[in-house]
Amino acid sequence: MTKKLNIGLIGYGFMGRTHSNAYNQVNHFFDVPYKPVLKVVCGLEEKVAKDFAEQWGYKSYTTDWHKVIEDDDIDQVDICVPNNMHAEIAIAAAKAGKNIICEKPLALNGPQAEKMVDAIEKAGVANLVSFNYRRVPAVTLAKMLIDEGRLGKIFHYRANFLQDWTISANVPQGGMATWRLDVKAAGSGVTGDLLAHCIDTAMWQNGQISSVCAMTETFVKKRMHVDTGKLEDVGIDDACTFLCRFDNESLGNFESTRYARGHKALYTFEINGEKASIAWDLHDLHRLSYFDHSDESIVRGWRSVHVTDGDMPYMNKWWVPGLQIGYEHTFIHQVADFLESLAKGEPASPSFREALSTQYVCDAVLASAKDKEWKTVKKA
Ligand SMILES: NC(=O)c1ccc[n+]([C@@H]2O[C@H](COP(=O)([O-])OP(=O)(O)OC[C@H]3O[C@@H](n4cnc5c(N)ncnc54)[C@H](O)[C@@H]3O)[C@@H](O)[C@H]2O)c1
């Protein structure tokens, strides 16, 4: 028997679309015990909310997120709004006893994230933070290979997330499309927006990060603010590079920027172990590069594994071997895993508490860059 689960989505932008698509698709491909019902969508502009509701199949719409929380019919609140609104909505949703899926980064900073974790754990509600790259089949396969011990002792973890969309000084800050450049709405720049993804994946695959040493730069110091029309100081980091140590003694090297001309969303990672290495690239997301030192030397080399076979993570739910899937599927996998954990009464991952660990790393990175010294990372 499939039980209905009434969804209230807050935020109809980029992530609102990926999450709505996931709710609409999940039962077509995954045999999960719940059927999400798109009950209400909330966004700032009434006309856009109304059109969104029609296009994606929501039964109603509102411009006031409190109404979503107060609605007894809503089982699950899905938070897809700018970062500065996550905490207030999540805490209210927890108090109202709703399941919560929240977009990343969890909060503006660690202390705010701690309040969210407290509220969620006190209320005992199901929760998940949307670090969706974990659910690219090739990334999940990398985690499986590491857990099976195929890499042996891990020495190095390096990750990049490179973009180029804010190079022009004419890009404003604030407002709807460019809230990511306004520190009050975003909390930080590339650290919370992009490195948070790399950090989440890295700690999932390779264990906790214990200390960091970072540098950041804000290349464009003043930008016009959409709300005031005036040139104002830019408070976010445009670029961030950090070194780190993991609890397992491996060394990490992370870089993110929005100033790497030619790169739109180049998320890559490489992991070097005693016995084997793994590399992955978001632009070629269905492939995993794998080097196994135990191969016979005359044929030893980097393999490019096409992650489409039925025995690879998630792939038996999709087409036939050789046919690949893409970005939107990571969100469908996320919802499928969440519904499965709900049915089993088990915590979903990454939980708010796990996302707090990532937030602590981000905080330590920003503090290290500011104070120009190594920082120890707080444990969640
Ligand atoms: N998982 C990922 O890979 C990923 C990718 C992009 C964004 N994100 C995260 O998702 C969140 C949303 O980002 P986005 O790119 O979808 O943003 P967006 O600008 O496309 O959409 C933001 C939405 O928030 C709504 N909103 C803003 N203020 C509101 C208010 N007071 N009440 C109700 N609605 C309000 C807007 O109407 C809009 O629909 C952010 O936290 C971001 O970091 C995650």
Side-chain angles (χ1 to χ4, degrees):
M1 269 293 284
T2 310
K3 285 181 245 156
K4 293 203 162 140
L5 193 73
N6 291 337
I7 308 292
L9 176 79
I10 306 179
Y12 50 51
F14 174 20
M15 283 302 109
R17 293 164 68 225
T18 62
H19 290 215
S20 300
N21 180 57
Y23 290 127
N24 278 334
Q25 291 289 4
V26 68
N27 298 105
H28 295 141
F29 294 93
F30 287 80
D31 189 16
V32 281
Y34 288 95
K35 177 164 179 44
V37 177
L38 302 184
K39 272 279 179 178
V40 57
V41 58
C42 171
L44 279 183
E45 291 177 53
E46 186 165 353
K47 166 85 172 77
V48 183
K50 180 173 184 288
D51 291 349
F52 189 96
E54 273 167 25
Q55 186 168 6
W56 290 95
Y58 285 86
K59 294 191 187 336
S60 64
Y61 59 89
T62 176
T63 53
D64 179 1
W65 64 262
H66 298 90
K67 292 208 172 120
V68 179
I69 310 283
E70 286 156 13
D71 187 340
D72 289 338
D73 264 0
I74 297 296
D75 302 308
Q76 180 159 315
V77 171
D78 195 319
I79 305 173
C80 292
V81 287
N83 308 344
N84 60 334
M85 295 181 60
H86 293 183
E88 192 184 358
I89 299 175
I91 290 168
K95 283 187 183 150
K98 317 285 190 196
N99 305 333
I100 306 173
I101 292 186
C102 182
E103 260 308 332
K104 51 53 58 179
L106 181 57
L108 295 176
N109 50 49
Q112 193 182 51
E114 284 165 6
K115 291 189 185 125
M116 296 166 81
V117 171
D118 270 0
I120 255 84
E121 292 182 353
K122 226 170 254 161
V125 295
N127 60 95
L128 176 112
V129 180
S130 178
F131 284 110
N132 57 301
Y133 291 110
R134 286 180 177 209
R135 290 173 163 100
V136 174
V139 175
T140 315
L141 180 62
K143 157 85 171 154
M144 271 174 53
L145 298 177
I146 294 166
D147 287 353
E148 286 174 5
R150 288 177 190 247
L151 273 67
K153 182 173 170 53
I154 290 176
F155 300 120
H156 294 286
Y157 193 107
R158 60 186 78 80
N160 285 343
F161 207 139
L162 312 180
Q163 300 185 332
D164 72 353
W165 64 283
T166 65
I167 293 177
S168 167
N170 294 329
V171 178
Q173 58 174 315
M176 269 302 102
T178 43
W179 60 264
R180 279 179 178 75
L181 280 74
D182 176 2
V183 73
K184 290 197 280 310
S188 67
V190 293
T191 299
D193 194 32
L194 304 177
L195 284 173
H197 276 301
C198 306
I199 294 163
D200 172 74
T201 308
M203 295 204 294
W204 182 54
Q205 293 172 331
N206 191 40
Q208 295 295 302
I209 291 172
S210 51
S211 57
V212 298
C213 179
M215 61 178 174
T216 58
E217 185 52 77
T218 304
F219 294 116
V220 175
K221 310 275 191 263
K222 284 185 186 287
R223 291 184 186 271
M224 198 269 285
H225 200 292
V226 172
D227 292 345
T228 62
K230 291 191 187 132
L231 264 190
E232 290 185 16
D233 289 344
V234 174
I236 58 150
D237 43 307
D238 286 336
C240 175
T241 301
F242 76 90
L243 305 176
C244 68
R245 288 184 179 278
F246 287 83
D247 278 355
N248 67 3
E249 296 180 350
S250 58
L251 305 183
N253 190 345
F254 291 71
E255 183 193 4
S256 184
T257 178
R258 293 177 180 144
Y259 287 69
R261 184 60 91 198
H263 294 304
K264 303 302 168 191
L266 188 69
Y267 176 12
T268 56
F269 63 71
E270 180 169 314
I271 311 163
N272 308 125
E274 182 188 359
K275 301 184 201 163
S277 288
I278 282 176
W280 176 78
D281 171 350
L282 175 58
H283 287 188
D284 214 3
L285 85 176
H286 51 276
R287 289 193 173 272
L288 192 69
S289 298
Y290 184 67
F291 180 96
D292 188 341
H293 186 65
S294 68
D295 285 345
E296 196 188 346
S297 66
I298 55 167
V299 290
R300 190 189 293 146
W302 280 89
R303 306 172 199 174
S304 176
V305 182
H306 198 220
V307 186
T308 62
D309 251 313
D311 53 358
M312 288 159 163
Y314 301 107
M315 291 312 297
N316 65 349
K317 304 294 183 209
W318 296 102
W319 316 117
V320 297
L323 302 187
Q324 62 223 28
I325 58 168
Y327 175 72
E328 71 270 28
H329 301 84
T330 62
F331 296 93
I332 303 173
H333 300 162
Q334 177 168 280
V335 167
D337 290 344
F338 185 74
L339 297 181
E340 207 54 70
S341 66
L342 210 55
K344 290 185 183 144
E346 290 171 0
S349 182
S351 64
F352 273 41
R353 185 164 285 281
E354 286 169 272
L356 176 62
S357 297
T358 297
Q359 198 79 53
Y360 282 151
V361 177
C362 292
D363 283 9
V365 161
L366 294 169
S368 165
K370 183 164 164 278
D371 298 343
K372 297 186 170 59
E373 62 183 30
W374 278 87
K375 295 283 180 190
T376 301
V377 177
K378 217 170 148 182
K379 297 278 182 219

